[in-house]
């Protein structure tokens, strides 16, 4: 949803996933019309962060304590997201990418290949 001039913004952050040295922080952006009080969800983003020492070496971070089903769902969704991201990295790496495999998949999209 768009954010209009003069609306109040609220950003809510939660740690959704913690690995050995990394974490995924989910950010939810909401706006509120200060005259009407109406709130709306505008955007959600996910930030991956890695803890490093003064030499730039990854360091272990404390584990996450999951205390309800919503937190468990967010954690499991993050695991799936990381797995899918890693598969995409491999599939679309310069060494593995095969354009001919995707020509059919692009039908119906607003794109014209001029390769």
């Amino acid at each position: 949803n768009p954010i209009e001039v003069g609306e109040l913004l609220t950003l809510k952050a939660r740690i959704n996933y913690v690995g050995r040295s990394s974490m995924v922080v989910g950010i939810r952006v909401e706006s509120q019309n200060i005259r009407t009080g109406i709130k709306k969800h505008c955007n959600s983003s996910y930030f991956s962060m890695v803890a490093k020492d003064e030499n730039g070496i990854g360091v272990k971070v404390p584990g996450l304590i999951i205390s309800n089903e919503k937190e468990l769902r967010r954690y499991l969704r993050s695991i799936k997201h990381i797995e899918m991201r890693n598969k995409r990295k491999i599939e679309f790496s310069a060494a593995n990418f095969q354009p001919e495999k995707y020509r059919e998949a692009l039908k119906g999209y607003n794109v014209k290949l001029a390769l």
Side-chain angles (χ1 to χ4, degrees), residues 1-106:
N1 287 313
I3 300 168
E4 305 298 335
V5 173
E7 288 186 325
L8 176 68
L9 291 183
T10 303
L11 283 72
K12 299 176 180 179
R14 291 196 182 273
I15 298 174
N16 293 341
Y17 170 84
V18 173
R20 191 190 73 73
S21 64
S22 65
M23 63 182 67
V24 175
V25 179
I27 310 287
R28 179 182 171 93
V29 180
E30 296 176 346
S31 67
Q32 180 180 13
N33 182 308
I34 56 176
R35 284 180 271 141
T36 65
I38 295 173
K39 294 180 182 179
K40 61 185 177 185
H41 174 240
C42 301
N43 189 359
S44 290
S45 300
Y46 301 94
F47 293 89
S48 296
M49 301 181 190
V50 177
K52 295 188 175 190
D53 66 14
E54 59 277 351
N55 298 313
I57 307 297
V59 295
K60 189 172 171 137
V61 295
L64 185 62
I65 297 171
I66 296 174
S67 58
N68 60 52
E69 284 187 19
K70 195 176 207 180
E71 292 172 353
L72 177 60
R73 182 177 51 82
R74 286 181 178 142
Y75 189 85
L76 293 170
R77 183 174 59 199
S78 292
I79 290 172
K80 285 288 189 185
H81 178 80
I82 292 165
E83 288 173 355
M84 289 174 16
R85 182 183 66 206
N86 291 338
K87 286 179 185 177
R88 278 193 312 271
K89 279 183 184 178
I90 294 167
E91 181 179 356
F92 291 100
S93 69
N96 293 327
F97 184 64
Q98 299 172 5
E100 62 279 357
K101 288 176 56 177
Y102 300 95
R103 290 188 186 276
E104 189 67 29
L106 291 174

